[in-house]
Amino acid sequence: MIDKEQILFIERPKAKCVECDAALDELNHHPTRLRVRETSPERADFCHDCWEFAKEDAYDSFWVTRRVKKEKRIPKLSRREKAVAVRALFESLWDRRDEEDVEAHLYFLSHLLLRWGGLKWVQNKTAPDGGEIVVFENPSTGDAIDIRAVDTSSEAIAEVKTRIENFLREYAPENDTALD
């Protein structure tokens, strides 16, 4: 019988099968065997092929370990790096504003840049059709940028956030190991 203290000493799942060194990270699930020793429990993770032979050995318990594939996280970027990346995305969308419907993206990104120092708010004005236009200034060039205010749904905002997150993943250096 295993007591509560011993449970704390059960190791985390291993990356390889204890018998054949097959990678277990690619599997969705794999068998795990537990043998209780006097000092601490002994965990052994197996690939499916090796388990066919190992299950005949003596053990105290076994279960199927489920492996959850983790989504690639957005590397930590400094505020300045984020501002540069978002600025690059903003400019690429700005160049395509006549070909694609990117108003919601530009509106959202312009406010991020306002927050992170990439744009400066100048004024709000009314468009000829009665809509609102937010005027920003590019601090480095002094150019005025007119962005039409958009009412967006939560789905549209989620789409914009996803696009920004995907862009930041691609923008981040490959060798950056500091993750959120």
Side-chain angles (χ1 to χ4, degrees):
M1 183 77 179
I2 189 168
D3 65 17
K4 290 180 183 180
E5 283 295 315
Q6 286 180 314
I7 291 174
L8 296 175
F9 293 102
I10 296 175
E11 298 174 330
R12 303 287 304 155
K14 302 289 187 220
K16 295 185 176 190
C17 174
V18 295
E19 292 292 325
C20 68
D21 283 339
L24 298 174
D25 291 335
E26 290 96 33
L27 300 176
N28 290 331
H29 60 280
H30 61 82
T32 299
R33 176 185 71 197
L34 186 70
R35 289 183 177 158
V36 180
R37 302 289 182 223
E38 288 182 25
T39 56
S40 65
E42 184 180 279
R43 177 191 182 121
D45 295 304
F46 296 93
C47 68
H48 298 287
D49 294 334
C50 292
W51 177 247
E52 291 304 316
F53 301 105
K55 70 181 179 183
E56 303 301 324
D57 292 343
Y59 57 87
D60 295 303
S61 179
F62 84 95
W63 63 89
V64 175
T65 300
R66 192 178 77 169
R67 296 280 182 155
V68 178
K69 305 272 190 271
K70 292 184 180 178
E71 182 180 314
K72 182 180 175 189
R73 299 173 75 186
I74 301 173
K76 276 191 176 182
L77 299 172
S78 69
R79 187 176 183 165
R80 178 158 172 67
E81 289 171 325
K82 284 181 190 175
V84 168
V86 169
R87 181 63 186 217
L89 178 59
F90 177 85
E91 288 175 359
S92 71
L93 292 175
W94 183 260
D95 292 341
R96 295 188 315 228
R97 70 185 180 279
D98 296 331
E99 300 144 17
E100 293 181 46
D101 181 25
V102 291
E103 281 187 340
H105 290 72
L106 290 172
Y107 186 71
F108 191 88
L109 289 169
S110 64
H111 283 80
L112 272 180
L113 288 169
L114 175 68
R115 182 176 179 196
W116 292 339
L119 291 176
K120 181 179 169 186
W121 178 83
V122 177
Q123 67 179 355
N124 289 4
K125 63 183 183 181
T126 305
D129 64 358
E132 182 181 11
I133 294 179
V134 183
V135 181
F136 295 97
E137 177 186 317
N138 181 345
S140 59
T141 63
D143 295 337
I145 301 172
D146 294 349
I147 305 288
R148 177 174 286 282
V150 229
D151 290 328
T152 55
S153 65
S154 56
E155 293 85 22
I157 291 173
E159 179 185 330
V160 171
K161 285 181 179 179
T162 302
R163 190 170 193 170
I164 292 169
E165 288 171 355
N166 290 339
F167 185 79
L168 289 176
R169 277 188 195 96
E170 292 173 19
Y171 182 83
E174 290 294 323
N175 59 357
D176 190 359
T177 57
L179 300 177
D180 281 328

